[in-house]
Amino acid sequence: MGTKGREIIGMDIEELLALLNSAFADEWLAYYQYWIGALIVRGPMRAAAVAELTEHAADELRHAQMLAERIVQLGGTPVTDPADWNKAANCAYLNPANPYIKAIVGQGIDGERCAIEAYTRLMKATEGKDPITYQIALSILQDEVEHEDDLQALLEDLQEMEQRR
Ligand code: FE
Ligand code: FE
Ligand code: MG
């Protein structure tokens, strides 16, 4: 990367790249979890869930792009083999083996909670050291907080509907 751009980073670049690659792997796993979930989800309020899951999938893919661009800018290489995603990730892939809407949405909420913790950690690690990565982590964190809130609201609607029956 540019000489001055590298100079202003007040932390070990390899350590920074490892943190960015973990987040990058998280985003691909989250993208796929939402993408496949939107296709297979079944149950009440299916259309609302499909819309939310599809929107979140697009956001996670955009996050992967943001992280990959920063990795490349820093002179690193984003994880090139999907077989390495689980190993590099902060958050586990939650296989939507049960297509029932409450299971899929519940796994999404668990994933978002892990993502919120991971981006909070990335912000702490880069605060005052790499303002660019800090800003990227903050921007992604804002989306993950919104994702958790959207899915929790959907789950609450589902629970309310069940109680009325
Ligand atoms: Fe994300
Ligand atoms: Fe998310
Ligand atoms: Mg949403």
Side-chain angles (χ1 to χ4, degrees), residues 27 59-60 63 119 140 144 147:
E27 294 295 350
D59 286 341
E60 312 306 9
H63 296 162
Y119 284 109
I140 296 176
E144 312 302 15
H147 288 172

Side-chain angles (χ1 to χ4, degrees), residues 99-118:
Y100 181 55
I101 183 166
K102 279 171 85 175
I104 298 256
V105 171
Q107 285 175 320
I109 291 169
D110 289 346
E112 295 299 342
R113 287 177 182 163
C114 183
I116 288 167
E117 284 179 4

Side-chain angles (χ1 to χ4, degrees), residues 58-69:
D59 286 341
E60 312 306 9
L61 189 57
R62 185 169 48 78
H63 296 162
Q65 176 89 30
M66 290 163 74
L67 294 160
E69 284 174 3

Side-chain angles (χ1 to χ4, degrees), residues 74-130:
L74 287 165
T77 306
V79 178
T80 53
D81 188 344
D84 294 330
W85 285 343
N86 269 314
K87 199 170 51 189
N90 296 296
C91 301
Y93 177 73
L94 302 171
N95 179 16
N98 176 1
Y100 181 55
I101 183 166
K102 279 171 85 175
I104 298 256
V105 171
Q107 285 175 320
I109 291 169
D110 289 346
E112 295 299 342
R113 287 177 182 163
C114 183
I116 288 167
E117 284 179 4
Y119 284 109
T120 301
R121 286 199 304 274
L122 183 57
M123 286 180 67
K124 282 189 182 132
T126 56
E127 188 173 14
K129 293 170 183 157
D130 177 3

